């Protein structure tokens, strides 16, 4: 498969009064052409900061990309000038946000907002851009484009606004689309429509999508691969089946079992993950999740775990996969869904130096 | 079981008589039993929040009755009666950021109800109550002297719960209490609410659009569509045997954390036209099976009852 994006050892920090917040602490992942990678994790896990760094949308100061590479099309985005970045943003990579009302300009007719990237990046004339904008509106399922283009954002419903934002994001057929919780503010029925729309458009223009969400149902629906983030690091990556049917990291277990499944007994207590996410000004030594994990071992408080490979596509950052680690049983909900994956190695191996991860 | 609340033909119209009149709640009737959790679901704009707000008298009902322990909430009341009633019924709001006064200390936020109703005789007793409440919701004494911005979303929702509990209510309306929280924190808050219900014998109206959580927490669930209650049933019945086409469509739209299921799930689209009601059809809430109510015509009821026959 062809890689469109390759992120290597990315570190992002914010210099605040209280100290340096290490929001992203060494993230590696790649994105293949036409696939959907879901990034999951709770607030503060660094998922939004990671993707904003890819678009170079981290405000500086206080934020900065401290270290690492973002390879896109043979170039390292981490070191491009703002001017060069402007040519990529909205053209080759675009982003949609959670709240469609705040990402649209309330004082500008939506026709003009869709035409803007077309005229700027694709150098279309006004007439051409107008025609293309009307086509895009039809493509995202809005009827009567000529009339609609003359309207303002407040004249649309939440779902319609998100469709418009998607139309703008896809106007220049980007290679990468980053969707940051695009359906969280929407109702389930509208959410289903938007997800269907995104999948359909992805097929048409072969865009790779990075999908950030904390709704695991949505992940199971859209993702080809999943990356689980915790405390500014990716703790587990794998194909969608590997993450849901053979998860190995205790944090992934925690996420999966904190949601009630349709068969969860009414009387049973949900397995909430106790505590709160770690303080990233003073990141914990060792495994960041150890403080909240019932599976934590002595070494988790001492030394950061290495990355283990469970299959060609499945990577886990946990000492539990060490050959001397005791055998532990995952929570009930995880065990109910568990099955063995065909691609698994006989036993986990260390992901060695230079081995591409995830 | 005893009925704690009876809602009879409740209507809440906004802008009445004007061209932009909205029938936010249109002739809704249901009961809430003592000690149960009734879930209320539907899309935004279906009237579920308005129903909750009208029940607690944040809005004056256009028509209909809300009987709380047999007494009409919307009847004429003296100040004293109103105070009494306010104590028995409390509300937890969706946005813990907006529903706590940023300029008040936690102790004063929680004790506001205690002060108004004169539930503490001395300063010491007041603080003792505040500390107890903080501990009940899983926070500690030190938190009493802080301000809301010093707390995370999940903690703030705990404060909202502590404030509601301060006046020792019988009934709590929780309007999307977990929608703004992360998955792992949602579970913490839901577990807390269930624990408190058991300990204090509370009755909940749980309003939400997250259907998987609603099923887990509720004993019975009502589904609303355009101001009407279209189906009401015990939660497992509603999920196993949904009868109203809108309920079916709503359930088919929920993504579940199971990739295989997601690959085969097909979404059903609801259109009110499928009913094909004629002018002389009487469409109303009908009890199709014991405890299972559907908003339907006589003809549809027969059809629905057949599904029960075949399931048997």
């Amino acid at each position: 498969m062809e890689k469109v994006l390759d992120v290597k050892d990315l570190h992002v920090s914010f210099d605040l009064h209280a100290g340096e917040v290490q929001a992203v602490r060494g993230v590696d992942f790649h994105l293949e052409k036409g696939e959907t990678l879901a990034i999951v994790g709770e607030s503060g896990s660094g998922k939004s900061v990671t993707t904003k760094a890819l678009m170079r949308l981290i405000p500086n100061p206080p934020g900065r990309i401290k270290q690492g590479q973002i390879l896109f099309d043979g170039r390292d985005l981490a070191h491009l000038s703002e001017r060069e970045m402007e040519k990529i943003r909205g053209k080759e990579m675009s982003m949609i946000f959670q709240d469609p009302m705040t990402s649209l300009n309330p004082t500008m007719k939506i026709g003009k907002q869709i035409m803007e990237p077309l005229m700027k990046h694709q150098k279309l004339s006004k007439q051409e851009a107008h025609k293309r904008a009307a086509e895009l509106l039809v493509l995202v399922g809005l009827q009567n484009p000529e009339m609609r283009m003359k309207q303002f954002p407040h004249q649309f419903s939440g779902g319609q606004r998100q469709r418009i934002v998607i139309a703008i994001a896809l106007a220049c057929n980007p290679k990468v689309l980053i969707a940051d919780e695009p359906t969280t503010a929407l109702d389930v029925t509208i959410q289903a429509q938007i997800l269907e729309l995104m999948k359909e458009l992805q097929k048409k223009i072969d865009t790779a999508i990075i999908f950030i969400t904390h709704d695991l149902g949505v992940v199971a629906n859209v993702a080809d691969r999943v990356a689980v983030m915790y405390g500014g690091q990716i703790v587990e990556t794998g194909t969608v089946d590997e993450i849901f049917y053979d998860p190995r990291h205790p944090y992934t277990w925690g996420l999966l079992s904190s949601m009630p499944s349709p068969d969860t007994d009414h009387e049973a207590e949900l397995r909430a993950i106790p505590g709160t996410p770690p303080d990233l000004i003073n990141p914990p030594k060792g495994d960041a999740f150890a403080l909240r994990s019932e599976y934590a071992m002595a070494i988790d408080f001492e030394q950061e775990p290495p990355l283990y490979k469970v299959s060609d596509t499945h990577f886990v950052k946990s000492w539990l996969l060490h050959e001397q680690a005791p055998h532990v049983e995952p929570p009930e909900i995880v065990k109910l869904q568990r099955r063995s994956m065909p691609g698994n190695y006989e036993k986990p191996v260390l992901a060695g130096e230079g081995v591409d991860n995830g | 079981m005893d009925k704690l609340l009876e809602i009879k033909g409740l209507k809440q119209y906004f802008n009445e008589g004007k061209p932009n009149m909205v029938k936010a709640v249109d002739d809704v009737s249901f009961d809430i039993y003592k000690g149960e959790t009734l879930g209320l679901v539907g899309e935004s704009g279906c009237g579920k929040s308005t129903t909750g707000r009208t029940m607690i008298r944040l809005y004056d009902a256009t028509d209909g009755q809300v009987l709380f322990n047999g007494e009409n909430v919307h009847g004429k009341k003296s100040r004293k009666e109103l105070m009494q009633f306010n104590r028995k019924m409390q509300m937890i709001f969706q946005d813990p950021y907006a529903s706590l006064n940023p300029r008040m200390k936690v102790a004063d936020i929680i004790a506001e109800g205690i002060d108004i109703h004169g539930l503490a005789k001395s300063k010491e007793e007041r603080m003792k109550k505040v500390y107890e409440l903080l501990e009940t919701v899983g926070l500690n004494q030190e938190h009493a002297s802080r301000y809301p911005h010093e707390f995370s979303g999940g903690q703030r929702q705990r404060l909202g719960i502590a404030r509601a509990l301060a006046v020792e209510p019988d009934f709590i309306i929780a309007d999307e209490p977990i929608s703004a929280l992360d998955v792992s924190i949602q579970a913490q808050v839901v577990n807390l609410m269930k624990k408190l219900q058991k300990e204090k014998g509370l009755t909940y109206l749980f309003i939400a659009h997250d259907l998987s959580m609603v099923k887990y927490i509720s004993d019975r669930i009502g589904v609303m569509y355009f101001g009407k209650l279209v189906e009401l049933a015990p939660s497992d019945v509603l999920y196993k045997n949904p009868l109203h086409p809108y309920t079916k469509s709503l359930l088919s739209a929920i993504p579940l954390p199971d990739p295989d299921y997601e690959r085969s799930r097909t979404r059903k689209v609801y259109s009110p036209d499928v009913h094909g009601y004629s002018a002389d059809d009487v469409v109303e809430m009908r009890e199709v099976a014991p405890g299972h109510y559907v908003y339907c015509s006589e003809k549809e009821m027969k059809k629905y009852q057949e599904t029960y026959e075949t399931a048997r």
Side-chain angles (χ1 to χ4, degrees):
Chain A
M1 282 293 264
E2 194 186 332
K3 280 187 196 175
V4 282
L5 190 69
D6 201 354
V7 177
K8 289 179 177 167
D9 196 30
L10 183 70
H11 289 252
V12 182
S13 285
F14 293 85
D15 297 305
L16 302 185
H17 215 63
E20 178 190 340
V21 180
Q22 301 172 37
V24 176
R25 305 185 293 141
V27 159
D28 294 81
F29 69 92
H30 73 266
L31 189 64
E32 280 162 21
K33 198 175 174 199
E35 76 163 346
T36 301
L37 171 73
I39 303 184
V40 295
E42 56 200 317
S43 338
S45 62
K47 50 194 198 307
S48 286
V49 174
T50 303
T51 47
K52 277 188 186 149
L54 301 185
M55 293 284 283
R56 288 280 300 280
L57 289 174
I58 303 287
N60 181 8
R64 64 194 155 97
I65 296 175
K66 201 170 134 193
Q67 193 183 320
Q69 290 178 305
I70 304 164
L71 299 174
F72 175 76
D73 238 0
R75 283 190 291 180
D76 183 1
L77 300 188
H79 296 104
L80 285 191
S81 69
E82 178 56 31
R83 198 160 200 184
E84 286 170 304
M85 203 53 219
E86 271 170 16
K87 288 185 195 142
I88 291 176
R89 237 183 257 137
K91 186 179 177 201
E92 316 227 13
M93 278 170 86
S94 41
M95 189 155 183
I96 49 184
F97 296 91
Q98 176 173 350
D99 184 356
M101 191 64 214
T102 48
S103 45
L104 290 170
N105 185 337
T107 65
M108 203 191 218
K109 287 179 185 159
I110 65 115
K112 203 170 167 202
Q113 297 191 53
I114 304 175
M115 283 158 65
E116 212 177 21
L118 293 167
M119 284 156 69
K120 189 168 162 58
H121 291 303
Q122 302 207 319
K123 310 277 181 258
L124 296 185
S125 71
K126 207 167 173 184
Q127 286 77 18
E128 287 168 331
H130 186 91
K131 204 172 138 237
R132 176 88 181 113
E135 286 168 13
L136 282 164
L137 279 181
V138 176
L139 191 68
V140 296
L142 288 174
Q143 304 305 319
N144 241 334
E146 288 298 331
M147 188 263 287
R148 286 305 213 171
M149 281 170 72
K150 288 186 199 117
Q151 292 183 323
F152 290 94
H154 73 266
Q155 290 167 296
F156 295 83
S157 70
Q160 288 174 332
R161 278 182 217 142
Q162 202 58 293
R163 285 170 192 267
I164 295 167
V165 174
I166 291 174
I168 297 173
L170 295 180
C172 301
N173 299 337
K175 292 193 179 113
V176 176
L177 174 70
I178 299 171
D180 191 350
E181 309 242 7
T183 59
T184 308
L186 306 174
D187 277 320
V188 272
T189 44
I190 312 296
Q191 164 173 290
Q193 291 169 15
I194 296 288
L195 294 180
E196 277 161 25
L197 172 72
M198 286 180 69
K199 277 196 262 188
E200 188 194 312
L201 295 177
Q202 181 177 30
K203 255 187 224 144
K204 270 188 201 156
I205 59 177
D206 217 11
T207 304
I209 298 180
I210 298 180
F211 201 107
I212 303 177
T213 178
H214 61 248
D215 185 334
L216 294 167
V218 173
V219 174
N221 181 277
V222 299
D224 297 307
R225 285 191 307 130
V226 183
V228 182
M229 279 195 82
Y230 185 80
Q233 296 174 324
I234 293 181
V235 294
E236 183 161 8
T237 46
T239 63
V240 69
D241 284 7
E242 283 168 340
I243 296 295
F244 282 92
Y245 297 139
D246 188 21
R248 299 297 180 101
H249 197 283
Y251 179 63
T252 315
W253 295 346
L255 279 183
L256 287 170
S257 47
S258 60
M259 237 177 110
S261 78
D263 316 311
T264 305
D265 185 8
H266 190 66
E267 291 304 313
E269 192 172 77
L270 289 180
R271 291 184 48 117
I273 304 175
T276 47
D279 169 16
L280 292 175
I281 293 183
N282 302 301
K285 198 173 156 191
D287 188 334
F289 187 57
L291 284 172
R292 298 171 70 186
S293 171
E294 58 185 290
Y295 303 98
M297 299 175 285
I299 190 167
D300 281 317
F301 296 96
E302 291 297 323
Q303 209 178 331
E304 198 178 311
L307 202 62
Y308 288 93
K309 244 176 125 170
V310 182
S311 75
D312 289 344
T313 45
H314 192 177
F315 297 80
V316 187
K317 191 178 169 79
S318 168
W319 282 117
L320 284 177
L321 274 75
H322 191 272
E323 51 187 11
Q324 284 170 15
H327 180 75
V328 292
E329 287 294 320
E332 217 40 51
I333 293 182
V334 172
K335 275 205 289 197
L336 280 176
Q337 279 208 347
R338 190 163 61 169
R339 51 181 94 148
S340 68
M341 289 285 122
N344 280 4
Y345 304 148
E346 250 168 61
K347 58 181 178 188
V349 294
L350 265 181
E353 291 290 314
V355 174
D356 169 57
N357 110 48
Chain B
M1 262 202 291
D2 292 344
K3 285 176 191 170
L4 184 68
L5 277 120
E6 290 171 72
I7 286 87
K8 291 183 179 168
L10 189 70
K11 287 182 190 170
Q12 181 68 58
Y13 297 171
F14 295 113
N15 304 322
E16 223 186 335
K18 292 185 196 149
N20 59 347
M21 178 164 93
V22 179
K23 295 183 177 179
V25 179
D26 196 10
D27 199 3
V28 163
S29 305
F30 58 94
D31 299 329
I32 300 179
Y33 298 104
K34 232 169 219 160
E36 77 163 346
T37 301
L38 179 73
L40 206 53
V41 298
E43 292 171 77
S44 38
C46 72
K48 56 188 194 299
S49 288
T50 309
T51 304
R53 285 166 175 247
T54 308
M55 280 167 64
I56 200 169
R57 211 178 155 167
L58 281 174
Y59 301 135
D60 285 321
T62 308
D63 195 14
Q65 285 183 314
V66 179
L67 299 179
F68 183 77
N69 275 331
E71 207 182 316
N72 191 6
V73 168
H74 287 275
K76 238 186 176 165
K77 282 195 166 67
S78 68
R79 267 183 84 91
K80 207 172 149 199
E81 284 169 331
L82 201 59
M83 285 257 288
Q84 272 299 320
F85 158 74
N86 284 345
R87 228 193 101 181
K88 293 286 164 216
M89 213 194 255
Q90 284 289 313
M91 191 148 179
I92 304 170
F93 295 92
Q94 171 173 7
D95 187 350
Y97 295 79
S99 56
L100 300 173
N101 187 338
R103 298 172 57 162
M104 273 165 85
K105 279 191 182 150
V106 163
D108 298 326
I109 291 176
I110 294 176
E112 202 173 10
I114 298 178
D115 298 341
I116 290 173
H117 295 282
L119 299 179
K121 286 182 193 73
S122 62
K123 261 197 178 146
E124 288 72 43
E125 198 189 336
R126 176 179 185 261
M127 282 322 279
K128 207 181 127 226
K129 284 204 164 172
V130 168
Y131 293 151
E132 273 173 20
L133 285 162
L134 281 171
E135 263 154 39
T136 316
V137 297
L139 297 170
N140 59 49
Q141 295 198 7
E142 296 158 35
H143 291 123
S145 55
R146 297 197 193 166
Y147 288 93
H149 75 263
E150 296 174 74
F151 294 87
S152 67
Q155 286 175 321
R156 278 181 229 207
Q157 204 53 287
R158 287 169 190 268
L159 293 178
I161 295 173
R163 173 175 63 181
L165 290 175
V167 292
E168 294 159 26
D170 295 334
F171 177 59
I172 294 183
I173 298 176
D175 190 358
E176 308 239 12
I178 53 169
S179 309
L181 308 175
D182 262 330
V183 193
S184 60
I185 311 296
Q186 284 185 358
Q188 291 178 7
V189 173
V190 166
N191 283 342
L192 173 68
M193 286 183 63
K194 285 198 100 163
K195 190 184 115 215
L196 292 172
Q197 179 167 41
K198 244 184 228 154
E199 286 172 7
K200 302 185 188 289
L202 294 167
T203 305
Y204 290 138
L205 176 71
F206 193 92
I207 302 171
H209 68 258
D210 176 348
L211 290 132
S212 48
M213 252 333 163
V214 172
K215 167 164 193 278
Y216 171 70
I217 196 169
S218 308
D219 301 298
R220 296 188 303 141
I221 297 177
V223 181
M224 284 189 74
Y225 180 72
F226 268 85
K228 297 261 187 210
L229 192 65
V230 296
E231 190 158 0
L232 178 68
S235 27
D236 43 336
V237 174
L238 190 87
Y239 277 73
K240 278 199 199 103
N241 191 16
L243 293 177
H244 196 279
Y246 177 68
T247 313
K248 287 183 183 169
S249 134
L250 200 60
L251 288 174
S252 76
I254 317 171
L256 294 181
D258 181 345
D260 279 346
Y261 168 83
E262 282 305 308
R263 280 172 206 128
S264 58
R265 177 169 63 94
T266 49
R267 191 161 62 87
K268 299 187 184 100
V269 179
Y270 173 66
S271 145
D273 302 336
V274 297
H275 299 291
Y277 293 135
S278 62
D280 46 318
D281 275 333
V282 182
V283 189
E284 56 184 8
M285 238 13 203
R286 292 165 198 269
E287 191 165 13
V288 173
H292 192 164
Y293 298 84
V294 186
Y295 185 74
C296 60
S297 65
E298 182 123 29
K299 220 162 71 195
E300 282 176 311
M301 177 158 105
K302 294 223 171 78
K303 201 178 76 193
Y304 293 152
Q305 276 171 335
E306 277 165 26
T307 68
Y308 265 96
E309 300 290 321
T310 48
R312 210 165 282 148

